[in-house]
Amino acid sequence: MPAITLRNITKRFRKVVALKNVSFDVKEGEFFTIVGPTNAGKTTTLRVVAGLEKPNEGEVIFDGQPMNRVPPNLRDVALMFQNLALYPHRSGFDNIAFPLRVKKLAPDEVQRRVREVAGFLKITHLLERLPGTYSGGERQRLAFARTMVRDPALYMLDEPLANLDALIRLQMRVELRRIHQELGKTMIYVTHDQVEAMSMSNRIAVLHQGVIQQIGSPDDIYMCPANQFVAGFFGAPPMNFIPTQIERSVGYAVLKWGEYSVIGSSLIKKVKRRAASRGFILGIRPEDISILPDNGLNDSLRGRVVSLEQLGLKTIIDVELGSAVVRIAVPATFDYKVRDRCRITMKVERGHLFDPETGANLTIA
Ligand code: ADP
Ligand code: MG
């Protein structure tokens, strides 16, 4: 039985439809991530699960029990917000102890539990200090400790790392994975960051404009994106999209744009449904495109470098191919300059074809 089920949830705020028919299951002990851009409806989803918002339609179910009529304080969930809402004038200890004192636990029990979670989160040495004297990462741990000390059945974290600088964010990503593994509790994690979603989750739900676009493992989502939105949301640089027409010859078919074409027979064979119109959007990931200096080979595409970005480990190169521009990442190189001619080869068979009208991926089952 899933730990949490949302069934056909719709939530409106006056004219804004924040969630449209949202359904998903979260399994017991799972690290489940909801990812999407700002205003996608992520926070609203968590608030509906916590009981802080009433859905207009649909059901929230915990362990098979309908929750719609159960008030937030009886749901046994912890929701940790992006702004951590720590008490600035109370010590770390008192911040963590607060939910236990509200429950009127005996002082020595409060001591024991605060020390236990502080130890687990490696902030014991900070307990006597005010949160204002903590670093960003330490404040994050303190907020997590205050959540953890209540021992909720479900943790929901709303963009907890968004305000941290890059290095701390990396450390906290690893730390949250450890916490999840050691606690074994169900977690619903919200982020707008595709890298966080990919690196931390058992499964991901991609939310956009209040609609679930796809639910799957990081691998599913990356390798078999359901539509153009999902395809373009993951990866850095993201998937390239080229509007193409199909031209068939005896024995093979090409995908054509302007003067350019690639052989697309094996990819076109994967098309399960016809596109609404005759063209296709060819989607191809940067790692499936390679660049060579212009050497006159005729099975490659003639390109021109339009911009370069040196990132140290890798170089991002934008290459114009007629009416299209593709963005690729190569190991650090200084072999190319803007306006250089170059040659491009694509592993077209590893690409995807999208319906130009609906954005649906036509090459997955
Ligand atoms: P996210 O967390 O993905 O950025 P939210 O769930 O906060 O998105 O918001 C989804 C949509 O619902 C947005 O258009 C937002 O403006 C709207 N919204 C959220 N809460 C309220 C509210 N209390 N009143 C009116 N509109 C709201
Ligand atoms: Mg939000």
Side-chain angles (χ1 to χ4, degrees), residues 13-14 16-19 36-45 53 158-159 190 207:
F13 297 103
R14 297 166 185 273
V16 179
V17 188
L19 299 175
T38 305
N39 288 340
K42 305 181 296 296
T43 297
T44 303
T45 306
E53 300 286 355
D158 193 356
E159 311 223 20
V190 156
L207 190 63

Side-chain angles (χ1 to χ4, degrees), residues 109-128:
E109 177 68 2
V110 171
Q111 273 287 342
R112 192 185 64 74
R113 286 179 55 179
V114 171
R115 303 246 160 232
E116 186 181 271
V117 296
F120 184 74
L121 290 165
K122 304 179 185 128
I123 51 171
T124 306
H125 59 295
L126 305 171
L127 285 177
E128 305 316 318

Side-chain angles (χ1 to χ4, degrees), residues 31-185:
F31 196 114
F32 185 86
T33 298
I34 302 171
V35 66
T38 305
N39 288 340
K42 305 181 296 296
T43 297
T44 303
T45 306
L46 296 189
R47 290 176 58 84
V48 166
V49 174
L52 302 170
E53 300 286 355
K54 258 188 178 349
N56 297 90
E57 289 158 41
E59 272 190 298
V60 177
I61 299 160
F62 289 5
D63 293 323
Q65 303 297 317
M67 284 288 130
N68 286 31
R69 289 164 190 283
V70 178
N73 58 324
L74 298 180
R75 292 196 183 192
D76 197 17
V77 304
L79 175 52
M80 196 169 110
F81 297 101
Q82 180 180 338
N83 66 356
L84 307 167
L86 296 166
Y87 304 108
H89 304 299
R90 297 179 192 210
S91 68
F93 185 98
D94 288 341
N95 266 276
I96 303 173
F98 186 79
L100 301 181
R101 289 177 176 151
V102 169
K103 283 203 218 162
K104 306 224 181 330
L105 259 64
D108 51 346
E109 177 68 2
V110 171
Q111 273 287 342
R112 192 185 64 74
R113 286 179 55 179
V114 171
R115 303 246 160 232
E116 186 181 271
V117 296
F120 184 74
L121 290 165
K122 304 179 185 128
I123 51 171
T124 306
H125 59 295
L126 305 171
L127 285 177
E128 305 316 318
R129 285 167 33 185
L130 296 179
T133 69
Y134 286 36
S135 71
E138 289 164 350
R139 269 200 295 278
Q140 195 67 56
R141 285 167 198 267
L142 176 57
F144 203 86
R146 192 180 54 182
T147 305
M148 222 181 103
V149 81
R150 288 172 42 201
D151 192 29
L154 171 69
Y155 288 76
M156 296 196 287
L157 311 179
D158 193 356
E159 311 223 20
L161 310 187
N163 294 333
L164 301 177
D165 52 37
L167 196 62
I168 307 285
R169 207 156 60 220
L170 259 171
Q171 290 169 358
M172 285 305 293
R173 231 150 71 189
V174 176
E175 182 70 359
L176 280 175
R177 284 294 295 165
R178 172 185 81 92
I179 292 170
H180 173 253
Q181 273 159 14
E182 293 184 16
L183 288 180
K185 290 289 177 77

Side-chain angles (χ1 to χ4, degrees), residues 6-22:
L6 268 67
R7 195 176 286 157
N8 306 113
I9 295 285
T10 293
K11 175 66 193 174
R12 294 183 210 94
F13 297 103
R14 297 166 185 273
K15 284 190 185 139
V16 179
V17 188
L19 299 175
K20 287 178 213 166
N21 209 21
V22 165

